Amino acid sequence: MNHGSKAADEAAFQAADAAHHMHPFTDHKALAAEGTRVIVRAEGSTLWDSKGTAILDGMAGLWCVNVGYGRPELAAAAARQMRELPYYNTFFKTTTPPATELAARLAALTPKGLEHVFFASSGSEANDTIVRMVRRYWQIQGQPARTVIISREYAYHGSTLVGASLGGMTAMHGQTGLPLPGFEHIRPPYYLRDGGNMTPDEFGVAAAQALEERIQELGPERVAAFIAEPIQGAGGVIVPPASYFPEIQRICREHGILLVADEVICGFGRTGNWFGSETFGIEPDLMTLAKGLSSGYLPISAVMVGDRVARTLIDDGGEFFHGFTYSGHPVACAVALENLRIIQDEGLVERVRDDIGPYFQARLRELSDHPLVGEVRGVGLIAAVELVRDKDGPVFFQPEGRVGTICRDHCFRNNVILRAVRDGMVTAPPLVITRSEVDHLVETARRCLDLTQADIGI
Ligand code: PXG
């Protein structure tokens, strides 16, 4: 195929896409004017578009391609399982070998006390499942008034009606009359914005106190659970001070409230442990898993159910009227099993903890001297570089998000994919990213910060 026909193919593709394809979280009029980028191939941490341009993926797809692209073992695992048994359900007293093997593997891998697994296909479905389980738990316990779930501003827990209600994204709420009744939001442990004169540890305890206050306002007898991402990912990589989760845990225990860790982004090595709960000392009653569970190669998610909830549902609950056609899909489970084997055999979690994670964090922190950078924060292979108008204060940009988008677009044009959240640049590359790729990412980010500074004239 010569270059001319490739260009023609791309134009035809873009026209068809604009005519028929509704993308997630997209302004379609603006996209049609610009033309969709067509990604055709990938290997390791690199994507190629239809023009043949190589692009460094600083976002691991959407925070999910933990083992990197182009893994033949995962393709082989899928093909093997498709030939053997492409589909069977796990309803009606039935299982398949990959579903049961994966359940046992996850029970062994996750922290002690999380011994049962419920499968679904997306993080949103897993979180819907958790809300149903939690409410059912309290009903069986004879406390049916406990229905309220408390979450946080800037949380992201999915895009179904329940996922978006759990989430703290006001833009999502505004368009569709959300949150549904029974979903509450407290402030996040966002030190750069709200820390004031406190030390991080003082602030962590103060931010956790917002949970105690909300519980008192609502009445503890109405509160079912508190849900939190260990690090708030899509909300801008908000990293809690070390004091935050111990205090949250104490408050939940004191009131008997269930604690849910949404590990959809933090799970499977991202923070240098298998789970973000280990990094931050959280002992959750339930855990949401998705994304890195299959490194995004196939859609699969899971709810880890701790003994407290599992024993009640199993021993006293009878049938739980909930499940999906694709719960425990055998091909997705086979791919997840092989993905976990790769993470384990290649020591990717240890690599993030001891080698590439510290290197990535240290190199990114070099950007702190840039005039636009208010803070670089992160753990392992997840980080944010937050841009501010004035480091003193700090003074944030108004309107929020404009400068972040300018910087993000410069990165795109320079073939490094980072995400903008408000005025922060966020990054979560594949766990296999190399040191020289980290160097390229950081050097490109610095150039794009310079370009952004020139654009906005400060
Ligand atoms: N929980 C967390 C913590 C997530 O990050 C979900 C649940 C929902 O998963 P599903 O599979 O239903 O999408 C997510 C998803 C972004 C972005 O722009 C982040 C997510 C999804 C789409 C975009 O950062 N996270």
Side-chain angles (χ1 to χ4, degrees):
M1 194 191 283
N2 68 33
H3 187 74
S5 75
K6 251 190 191 169
D9 283 354
E10 186 187 59
F13 223 95
Q14 288 173 327
D17 197 74
H20 304 295
H21 185 182
M22 294 190 83
H23 295 247
F25 285 86
T26 293
D27 173 343
H28 287 91
K29 209 190 284 177
L31 178 65
E34 207 176 312
T36 328
R37 182 173 223 165
V38 187
I39 299 297
V40 294
R41 189 165 72 80
E43 186 74 38
S45 302
T46 304
L47 308 163
W48 280 270
D49 69 11
S50 50
K51 293 185 176 66
T53 310
I55 302 159
L56 179 61
D57 185 3
M59 281 308 298
L62 262 181
W63 327 75
C64 57
V65 187
N66 288 19
V67 300
Y69 298 94
R71 291 284 192 162
E73 309 94 307
L74 295 182
R80 226 177 8 251
Q81 186 58 43
M82 279 203 186
R83 287 197 195 94
E84 186 88 13
L85 179 70
Y87 176 75
Y88 199 73
N89 68 69
T90 52
F91 290 50
F92 316 131
K93 305 182 185 176
T94 307
T95 191
T96 65
T100 299
E101 269 177 55
L102 182 60
R105 181 86 182 88
L106 288 173
L109 203 56
T110 51
K112 216 170 150 312
L114 297 162
E115 308 301 326
H116 287 80
V117 185
F118 189 98
F119 290 116
S121 301
S122 69
S124 302
E125 285 176 355
N127 280 329
D128 272 45
T129 299
I130 284 177
V131 170
R132 300 202 68 206
M133 276 186 178
V134 158
R135 289 183 173 170
R136 176 71 183 133
Y137 166 84
W138 286 113
Q139 197 180 50
I140 300 167
Q141 290 285 327
Q143 299 186 53
R146 287 222 198 219
T147 56
V148 177
I149 321 274
I150 302 177
S151 173
R152 300 177 298 174
E153 294 156 16
Y154 297 138
Y156 191 83
H157 297 295
S159 195
T160 54
L161 291 172
V162 161
S165 294
L166 284 170
M169 303 295 190
T170 47
M172 289 173 80
H173 292 167
Q175 287 185 338
T176 42
L178 297 176
L180 297 170
F183 295 88
E184 295 279 329
H185 301 85
I186 60 169
R187 70 166 171 168
Y190 193 174
Y191 184 69
L192 182 70
R193 188 188 68 179
D194 298 334
N197 294 326
M198 285 184 255
T199 65
D201 275 343
E202 286 165 355
F203 175 69
V205 173
Q209 279 306 317
L211 177 59
E212 176 68 38
E213 286 158 23
R214 188 62 58 89
I215 291 168
Q216 293 307 338
E217 281 165 30
L218 292 163
E221 69 288 351
R222 292 184 53 214
V223 181
F226 176 70
I227 184 167
E229 303 154 77
I231 292 174
Q232 287 178 255
V237 184
I238 299 173
V239 183
S243 60
Y244 179 74
F245 274 112
E247 184 65 5
I248 289 283
Q249 184 94 54
R250 189 191 66 70
I251 294 165
C252 287
R253 287 208 174 119
E254 195 174 301
H255 297 289
I257 291 165
L258 295 166
L259 178 55
V260 183
D262 183 336
E263 294 267 4
V264 168
I265 284 179
C266 291
F268 305 103
R270 173 96 15 232
T271 68
N273 287 295
W274 275 94
F275 300 98
S277 292
E278 294 157 330
T279 305
F280 293 98
I282 309 167
E283 292 175 14
D285 296 293
L286 297 121
M287 213 185 232
T288 325
L289 305 175
K291 295 191 188 276
L293 171 56
S294 65
S295 286
Y297 278 60
L298 281 177
I300 181 167
S301 65
V303 174
M304 298 306 304
V305 188
D307 295 339
R308 179 176 160 198
V309 175
R311 289 274 53 98
T312 297
L313 292 179
I314 293 166
D315 295 343
D316 305 319
E319 180 174 348
F320 180 42
F321 302 114
H322 177 72
F324 305 103
T325 304
Y326 300 129
S327 288
H329 191 287
V331 181
C333 289
V335 168
L337 278 165
E338 184 64 2
N339 173 63
L340 297 180
R341 185 198 63 71
I342 292 172
I343 296 176
Q344 179 115 42
D345 287 0
E346 296 185 5
L348 293 181
V349 180
E350 296 75 15
R351 178 171 193 269
V352 175
R353 188 187 61 212
D354 301 330
D355 175 36
I356 197 71
Y359 184 74
F360 180 70
Q361 296 295 333
R363 288 252 36 206
L364 276 175
R365 275 168 181 68
E366 291 171 19
L367 298 173
S368 303
D369 66 1
H370 193 281
L372 292 186
V373 174
E375 182 178 61
V376 181
R377 56 178 181 263
V379 180
L381 284 181
I382 178 168
V385 177
E386 183 142 357
L387 315 189
V388 294
R389 168 163 283 284
D390 189 341
K391 290 175 195 255
D392 204 13
V395 182
F396 293 92
F397 285 109
Q398 292 295 337
E400 184 180 273
R402 187 181 69 91
V403 175
T405 304
I406 293 172
C407 189
R408 191 272 318 270
D409 289 347
H410 278 303
C411 293
F412 255 60
R413 275 195 289 277
N414 284 279
N415 300 313
V416 171
I417 294 187
L418 304 179
R419 273 262 280 110
V421 178
R422 298 182 296 284
D423 293 300
M425 303 305 301
V426 304
T427 167
L431 310 190
V432 295
I433 192 170
T434 63
R435 284 189 176 223
S436 67
E437 286 168 336
V438 168
D439 294 342
H440 178 62
L441 186 151
V442 174
E443 281 149 25
T444 307
R446 181 176 287 279
R447 254 191 303 125
C448 293
L449 287 167
D450 290 343
L451 292 168
T452 304
Q453 191 184 359
D455 284 349
I456 63 176
I458 61 169

